[in-house]
């Protein structure tokens, strides 16, 4: 039997995502009620600019006083899509204190303050759901913390930013340089006027912190994530990648150490074999590859941003939270029982592709190989081309630690025969 009294929802933010959430709540009201077991009612919408016309939202629901809205006491669920740290953090904890559960899409806040928010939710017996915070419409958070709850996840490897994937895909497919590809992404609306959060990896790093925390049952904060942007990737790097049968992606990588005693989380550009499923992810799409003991390899793929895809994830959480509300229960909270240490980037072991500008004369290769050997870094392949006294030397290593590779490069720069280090890129996905 369906309950007739509606569950009341407060919406914080009515931009691209918030307006789409409101639209779906209105147009799909009957379906949502049938799936939940009670109708849902949009009880208020907090905005910064009240004079803006918002089609389909009654003017009487609009308010600029978000604090008063979440303090009302009759609100069942608060949907937060305003982003940023404050006032979102205070509004969410205030909502918990006044009896509401929360659905959020705020990756930056969750990556930085997730532990405190989960503690506040638990203290007041309320839900905190955030499927929309990572990879837009792709169901990922819930599979990790529910469907794979009985498994041991060892690695999460993903493309979690559509803007950077569009740029790198354009560079790969057309031979364009970074700036040219960025200009096209901006013209098409894939990149913001200030693309720093995307191209410097801040957005992906926040998502990596959230994914690592859930996958490894360990608190991982944004500060724990190694971050490297993709602005230095060149058309020449793609030429080198193709010669290796690879392409280049900006990857979020969360993995458990081989001995199981620690975890790492990192974001950086990397070469990835064309045979790997992530290599075929094109345009502004996202995809995440999960490796676990029992389930093996799983891949989640779809649109990672935009009003409708993100709203889809928000509404999925809203249905789940409302069902919990009706049943007098709460869903899964934070699981951080493993409390594994987070290792530094220096301890990460992977393969490397190093391109050197060197003098074109006898003995150079021997000198370079000696430096690698002295630092315990094994060479897999070497390719050398040169003329007129100058040459390029491309070295691909076997697996080595980041710290060992760093020492190797520092020593290479001191060789008289090495004119410069043109590029260094990690090789992942093998």
């Amino acid at each position: 039997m369906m309950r007739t009294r509606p569950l009341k929802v407060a919406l914080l933010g009515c931009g691209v995502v918030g307006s789409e959430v409101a639209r779906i709540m209105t147009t799909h009201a009957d379906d949502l009620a049938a799936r939940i077991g009670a109708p849902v009612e949009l009880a208020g919408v907090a905005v910064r600019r009240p004079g803006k016309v918002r089609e389909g939202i009654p003017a009487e629901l609009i308010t600029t006083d978000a604090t008063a809205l979440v303090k009302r006491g009759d609100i069942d669920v608060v949907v937060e899509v305003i982003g940023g740290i404050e006032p979102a953090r205070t509004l969410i904890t205030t909502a918990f204190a006044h009896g509401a559960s929360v659905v959020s899409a705020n990756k930056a806040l969750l990556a930085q303050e997730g532990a405190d928010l989960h503690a506040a939710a638990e203290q007041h017996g309320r839900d905190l759901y955030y499927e929309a915070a990572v990879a837009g419409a792709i169901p990922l958070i819930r599979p990790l913390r529910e469907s794979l709850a009985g498994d041991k996840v060892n690695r999460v490897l993903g493309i979690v930013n559509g803007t950077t994937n569009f740029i790198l895909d354009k560079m790969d497919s057309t031979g364009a340089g970074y700036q040219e590809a960025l200009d096209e992404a901006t013209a098409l609306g894939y990149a913001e006027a200030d693309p720093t959060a995307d191209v410097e990896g801040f957005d992906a790093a926040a998502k990596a912190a959230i994914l690592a925390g859930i996958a490894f049952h360990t608190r991982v904060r944004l500060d724990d994530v190694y971050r490297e942007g993709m602005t230095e990737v060149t058309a020449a790097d793609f030429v080198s990648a193709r010669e290796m049968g690879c392409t280049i992606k900006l990857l979020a990588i969360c993995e458990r150490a081989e001995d199981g005693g620690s975890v790492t989380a990192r974001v950086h550009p990397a070469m990835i074999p064309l045979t790997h499923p992530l290599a075929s992810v094109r345009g502004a799409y996202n995809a995440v590859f999960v490796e676990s003991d029992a389930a093996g390899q799983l891949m989640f793929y779809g649109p990672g941003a935009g009003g409708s895809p993100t709203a889809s994830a928000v509404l999925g959480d809203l249905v789940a939270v409302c069902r919990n509300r009706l049943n007098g229960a709460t869903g899964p909270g934070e699981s951080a029982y493993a409390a594994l240490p987070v290792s530094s980037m220096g301890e990460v072991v992977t393969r490397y592709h190093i391109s050197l500008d060197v003098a074109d004369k006898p003995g150079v290769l021997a000198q370079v190989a000696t430096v690698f050997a002295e630092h315990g870094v094994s060479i897999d392949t070497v390719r050398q081309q040169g003329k007129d006294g100058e040459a390029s030397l491309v070295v691909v290593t076997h697996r080595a630690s980041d710290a060992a590779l760093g020492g190797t490069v520092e020593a290479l720069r001191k060789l008289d025969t090495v004119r410069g280090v043109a590029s260094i890129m990690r090789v992942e996905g093998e």
Side-chain angles (χ1 to χ4, degrees), residues 11-370:
L11 179 60
L12 307 183
C14 198
V16 173
V17 176
S19 59
E20 192 65 9
V21 169
R23 185 192 69 79
I24 295 173
M25 285 184 63
T26 301
T27 58
H28 295 182
D30 291 342
D31 286 335
L32 291 173
R35 294 166 191 171
I36 292 169
V40 288
E41 173 189 316
L42 189 59
V45 182
V47 299
R48 286 183 295 179
R49 296 185 295 274
K52 181 179 178 180
V53 176
R54 294 172 171 84
E55 187 177 347
I57 301 177
E60 62 269 19
L61 294 183
I62 301 295
T63 179
T64 57
D65 194 344
T67 301
L69 179 59
V70 300
K71 282 184 173 180
R72 274 178 38 173
D74 64 335
I75 300 297
D76 294 288
V77 184
V78 169
V79 174
E80 182 271 310
V81 288
I82 57 177
I85 306 302
E86 288 291 356
R89 183 187 186 282
T90 298
L91 290 170
I92 288 174
T93 55
T94 301
F96 290 143
H98 287 78
S101 290
V102 173
V103 172
S104 176
N106 195 331
K107 54 187 171 289
L109 177 61
L110 289 158
Q112 183 169 310
E113 305 288 344
D116 290 344
L117 294 178
H118 275 293
E122 183 177 3
Q123 176 186 351
H124 296 287
R126 295 294 176 252
D127 276 321
L128 173 62
Y129 276 45
Y130 42 92
E131 185 68 65
V134 179
I138 304 173
L140 185 59
I141 300 298
R142 196 169 294 128
L144 280 174
R145 72 176 185 176
E146 296 182 31
S147 303
L148 295 174
D151 205 344
K152 179 185 178 183
V153 176
N154 296 310
R155 198 171 196 230
V156 180
L157 175 76
I159 298 164
V160 295
N161 183 278
T163 299
T164 54
N165 199 58
F166 178 89
I167 293 170
L168 292 172
D169 181 39
K170 185 61 61 174
M171 292 175 69
D172 187 22
S173 61
T174 68
Y178 166 75
Q179 189 61 50
E180 183 183 351
L182 172 59
D183 290 343
E184 182 172 350
T186 304
L188 293 173
Y190 291 124
E192 301 287 345
D194 180 0
T196 303
D198 296 321
V199 300
E200 294 295 351
F202 291 100
D203 175 85
K207 295 169 181 176
I210 295 170
L211 290 174
I214 295 170
F216 307 132
H217 305 278
T218 293
R219 287 179 178 169
V220 179
R221 291 172 54 88
L222 182 57
D223 291 345
D224 295 322
V225 182
Y226 172 83
R227 177 194 56 79
E228 184 181 321
M230 42 77 72
T231 57
E232 300 301 318
V233 176
T234 66
D237 291 327
F238 277 99
V239 173
S240 294
R242 282 192 289 273
E243 291 174 349
M244 288 182 58
C246 293
T247 187
I248 299 171
K249 299 291 186 182
L250 184 74
L251 298 177
I253 305 169
C254 313
E255 56 190 353
R256 191 188 300 267
E258 291 185 5
D259 63 5
S262 64
V263 300
T264 57
R266 50 197 166 102
V267 169
H268 54 72
M271 293 183 180
I272 189 168
L274 293 173
T275 53
H276 193 283
L278 290 178
S280 62
V281 178
R282 311 300 298 271
Y285 277 75
N286 284 193
V288 177
F289 201 72
V290 177
E291 301 174 10
S292 67
D293 276 359
Q297 298 179 333
L298 306 170
M299 182 163 158
F300 302 83
Y301 169 86
S308 294
T310 306
S312 171
V314 169
L315 267 295
D317 278 351
L318 179 64
V319 169
V321 170
C322 285
R323 286 172 175 168
N324 291 343
R325 192 83 169 186
L326 288 180
N327 293 326
T330 56
E334 182 188 33
S335 176
Y337 73 91
L340 296 170
V342 182
S343 297
S344 69
M345 187 62 190
E347 300 173 71
V348 170
V349 175
T350 188
R351 297 180 67 205
Y352 290 87
H353 176 282
I354 304 102
S355 180
L356 304 171
D357 295 326
V358 299
D360 186 18
K361 62 182 184 180
V364 174
L365 179 56
Q367 284 185 326
V368 169
T370 297

